[in-house]
Structures are given as structure tokens and as C-alpha cells.
Amino acid sequence: MNNKLEKKFIDLLEQNQNIVHKICRIYAYDEASHKDLFQEISIQLWKAYPKFRGDAKFSTWMYRVALNTAISLYRKKKRSIRTTSITEFEFKLSEEKYDDETEANLKLMYQAIKELNDIDKALVFLYLEDRNYKEISETLGISEVNARVKMNRVKKKLKELINM
Amino acid sequence: MAEGLDLLKQEWKKQNKNLPKYSQNELYSMLQKKSTSIVKWIFIISILEFLFWIGIEVLTYLYDFNEIIDQVNLTYFYRITLIINYVVIITFIALFFSRYKNINVADNSKKLMKSIIKTRNTVKAYVWFNVVIFIFSFIVSNYFTLQHMEIDMEGFIWGYILAVFVIMLVFVGLLLLFYRIIYGTLIRRLYKNYEQLKKLEL
């Protein structure tokens, strides 16, 4: 592939890398697996890039390829001993200091998300990213109605996990 | 006040500043690394499977069974299975490559999973076809060989049949074990995710 195309792609990837990092935050378990998944997603994006026609927004296309890589293509390395508590690396959402209750709630929610299966994680991720149901359904390949139904179920499941 | 997932959603948007930032150089060096995706592994293993069975084919050819085959009047049977074998192998390889090429990571998740599973199943069907053909020709050639030898020791024949049966059982068992290990670890998660998405649409 030619250098000009590669340069253009790296520019786009650099500008939009937050999307990939956020997916890694949902699917990876520590800093090393975060980097590993990020790398695989970047490779898949680059491999698919020549076919990207530009009829969709780059970011929309990126959501799809990146999530697909995390769900379907990525081969998890043998997990190192997983601690039950989430690390500062995974959780550091904001510079702000939260009050204890909010922080506890956020951590619990984050931890509960980590317990979900791959598909539910994808739904939660797209929800957190404020994608509409049409886009969610198109990304996952399910109907809009089912995306809504499923999302409600996931919310309920999260509530149960937190109250456990 | 927002709670649960909606609380996280509010905070989620604020995290951009705290995310790692890779420089263009870092991104560039990442792109030079090799992919470790399951599609790549499926491709490699599938090619090895094709080569394995083609290898067996070549070996039997090199050993020049023709003489034995002629002796036991199996020429006709042998030729037919050979032709079927070649037609099937070419069809399977063509089908495999066309399905492999159809795997598009920019498809929706369900479609992508389906095309990976379909590609995988092509090779799986090919391997099972080979196993069936292998067992079938094994039985037929043994039957004719025994007939040709005109041995009428009943005990010997039954012992022979039992031995052949056990060998085949071991062979198929090993093959199943191989699949469980290789594809179990490789494709189980994908299959589970696919089933989940499919179940949603029922």
C-alpha cells in the first residue's frame, strides 16, 4: 500500500484514536491487554481501510471495525490472574474528584460492565457513546426493536449485578 | 440525579483527556506488527488441513498401490474414488477461498461472524468428507483383500474386523480431539456470540 494512503490513515487514526481506547477500556483488563487490543484493532482498521469508500463517516466505520475486532477477531491472550477490583488505569474517567458515594457507584457500575458478555458490552459501549438505536442495530446486525429490548435487558442485568 | 448506567454515561464523555495518546510514530510501528486475529489462524490451519489430506493422497499414489489394486480387482472402484476426490478437493478449495475473501471486518457484527463460521465450516466439511471416504475405502479394500486371500478361518476374520474397527475408532477419536482443542479455543467465543445475536432475532 502506498505511503500517501498510509499517512492519511495514520492521521485519521491519530485524530480518532479515542474511540479505540474507549473500546479497549471496555474489553481489556489491564494496560498490557489494552495496548494489545489497540494494536490489533489498528491493524484491522488499516487492512480494511482501502475498502473504506467514504460514504459513511470515518468514525462510524471505525466503530464497526473496532467493535468487530474486539468481539470476533481478537484472540484473548491467556488472562493473567484477574483481580476482582478494577485498576486505576481502567477507571480514571475524569480529573474531577468525586464524592465518595458517586465514586463508589461509578466503580460498581464499571465493574458490573466488565462482568457482561461481549455482545452486552458492545451494546453498553454504543449506549455510553450516545449512538442512536438505528446505528446500534446496524452495527450489530440486529433489528432496531431488538436492540432496544436487549438494551433494556442489559440495564436490568447491570442493576442486578450491582445489587448483588 | 442520574444513577447507574446513566451516571456513568455522564462521566464517560469527560474521559477523553485521561485516555492514553499514541503518537503517529507509535501508531506507525503498531501497523508494522503482525495480526493475531482468529481469521488469520483459521486461514493458516485450514491451509494445513488441505495440505495434510493432499499429502495423504500423494503418499498413497507414491506407494503405488496400483498393483495390489489390480490384483484384488478394485481398479474400477479406485478410479472412481480418485475422480470424486479430485473434483471434491478443487470444489472445496475454491469455495474456501471465495468464502474467506467474503470476510469483511466492516460488515455488521452478525454478518461478519456468519461469514467466519461459514468459511470454517467449509474446511470442516472437507475434512469430514475425507474421513468418510477414508473409512469407506478402507472397508471396501479390506473386504476385497480378504476375499481375495480366500481365508476361511472365521476367528481370524472376526479378529481382523475388530482390529480395523478399533483403529478407525481411535483415528476418528483423535480427529475429534484435535478439533476440540484447536477450534474449541479458537472459535468457541465467536460461536457463542453469534448464537446470542441470532437468538435475539427469533
Side-chain angles (χ1 to χ4, degrees):
Chain A
M1 278 178 247
N2 63 50
N3 288 341
K4 220 170 128 192
L5 194 72
E6 195 167 25
K7 174 82 184 77
K8 197 177 163 203
F9 173 74
I10 289 179
D11 280 346
L12 281 166
L13 182 59
E14 192 196 17
Q15 285 158 28
N16 292 282
Q17 63 174 298
N18 279 350
I19 295 174
V20 185
H21 282 302
K22 284 187 271 186
I23 289 178
C24 293
R25 278 216 158 153
I26 296 277
Y27 285 94
Y29 287 95
D30 51 30
E31 215 169 328
S33 67
H34 181 110
K35 198 170 176 193
D36 200 47
L37 178 57
F38 188 99
Q39 181 172 300
E40 186 61 42
I41 291 175
S42 304
I43 295 171
Q44 294 301 332
L45 283 164
W46 172 228
K47 271 167 65 180
Y49 185 60
K51 280 196 211 146
F52 171 63
R53 301 240 174 272
D55 43 4
K57 254 172 73 182
F58 184 77
S59 59
T60 311
W61 175 82
M62 201 169 179
Y63 273 110
R64 213 178 243 220
V65 176
L67 263 182
N68 272 338
T69 307
I71 299 173
S72 303
L73 303 186
Y74 181 61
R75 226 164 48 89
K76 278 185 195 153
K77 297 259 159 67
K78 258 197 186 144
R79 261 182 230 158
S80 48
I81 309 142
R82 237 181 90 193
T83 46
T84 42
S85 60
I86 49 170
T87 60
E88 195 60 27
F89 172 77
E90 292 173 277
F91 177 65
K92 225 175 139 209
L93 288 178
S94 157
E95 293 289 348
E96 291 171 34
K97 263 262 175 237
Y98 300 117
D99 62 76
D100 289 349
E101 200 195 331
T102 313
E103 176 154 344
N105 279 340
L106 279 173
K107 273 197 170 165
L108 269 174
M109 179 50 69
Y110 208 77
Q111 211 159 335
I113 291 171
K114 292 265 164 173
E115 300 291 320
L116 295 175
N117 64 43
D118 294 333
I119 303 291
D120 292 355
K121 276 182 185 159
L123 272 155
V124 167
F125 170 74
L126 292 166
Y127 178 80
L128 290 174
E129 287 289 293
D130 222 6
R131 303 277 117 185
N132 59 40
Y133 280 103
K134 187 170 178 280
E135 202 177 311
I136 295 178
S137 75
E138 281 167 4
T139 305
L140 295 177
I142 54 178
S143 74
E144 225 176 298
V145 178
N146 283 331
R148 272 175 208 277
V149 172
K150 182 77 178 157
M151 191 63 227
N152 284 332
R153 270 190 225 149
V154 175
K155 279 186 182 170
K156 225 171 113 187
K157 204 194 253 169
L158 282 172
K159 240 184 209 157
E160 279 168 18
L161 279 169
I162 284 172
N163 294 327
M164 241 165 39
Chain B
M1 198 185 115
E3 55 165 29
L5 196 57
D6 291 308
L7 173 68
L8 184 61
K9 192 171 177 175
Q10 274 180 12
E11 297 306 313
W12 186 256
K13 291 172 191 149
K14 298 178 190 164
Q15 70 175 319
N16 283 358
K17 268 189 264 164
N18 285 310
L19 290 168
K21 281 256 174 303
Y22 293 140
S23 67
Q24 293 222 348
N25 279 340
E26 280 174 296
L27 294 173
Y28 178 80
S29 69
M30 276 184 184
L31 297 186
Q32 310 310 312
K33 299 262 166 59
K34 290 226 157 32
S35 156
T36 53
S37 85
I38 64 158
V39 172
K40 195 177 152 188
W41 280 108
I42 288 174
F43 183 79
I44 293 170
I45 296 168
S46 300
I47 295 294
L48 288 176
E49 280 171 290
F50 280 124
L51 287 177
F52 173 78
W53 288 103
I54 293 170
I56 288 198
E57 198 80 24
V58 172
L59 269 182
T60 50
Y61 179 76
L62 284 180
Y63 268 108
D64 199 16
F65 281 131
N66 288 343
E67 218 171 293
I68 310 167
I69 288 160
D70 283 343
Q71 266 180 27
V72 292
N73 303 324
L74 273 176
T75 322
Y76 192 60
F77 168 77
Y78 182 71
R79 276 195 192 143
I80 289 195
T81 50
L82 208 67
I83 292 167
I84 292 176
N85 236 324
Y86 285 129
V87 170
V88 167
I89 191 170
I90 290 164
T91 314
F92 269 114
I93 291 178
L95 205 63
F96 170 74
F97 277 103
S98 96
R99 285 184 171 174
Y100 176 75
K101 276 190 79 164
N102 261 336
I103 297 176
N104 179 4
V105 72
D107 270 337
N108 68 53
S109 304
K110 199 171 144 201
K111 203 170 160 207
L112 171 71
M113 291 181 204
K114 197 175 175 183
S115 49
I116 296 174
I117 291 169
K118 257 171 96 179
T119 308
R120 175 60 225 133
N121 283 347
T122 314
V123 190
K124 208 161 126 189
Y126 172 71
V127 169
W128 284 114
F129 167 82
N130 269 301
V131 172
V132 169
I133 282 279
F134 184 77
I135 291 175
F136 180 67
S137 45
F138 202 68
I139 292 171
V140 171
S141 52
N142 273 296
Y143 174 78
F144 280 100
T145 313
L146 280 180
Q147 258 199 350
H148 187 75
M149 284 158 80
E150 286 166 6
I151 296 168
D152 51 10
M153 292 182 293
E154 201 122 301
F156 173 79
I157 291 177
W158 281 112
Y160 185 82
I161 289 171
L162 191 75
V164 168
F165 188 71
V166 170
I167 290 170
M168 274 183 210
L169 225 59
V170 170
F171 180 70
V172 174
L174 280 175
L175 208 74
L176 281 174
L177 194 74
F178 173 78
Y179 274 110
R180 266 197 101 82
I181 295 168
I182 300 279
Y183 291 107
T185 49
L186 211 57
I187 216 168
R188 194 186 297 129
R189 193 167 69 106
L190 180 89
Y191 209 75
K192 220 174 78 193
N193 288 338
Y194 179 67
E195 285 299 313
Q196 256 211 22
L197 283 180
K198 228 172 76 180
K199 216 167 65 192
L200 271 179
E201 299 296 76
L202 289 180

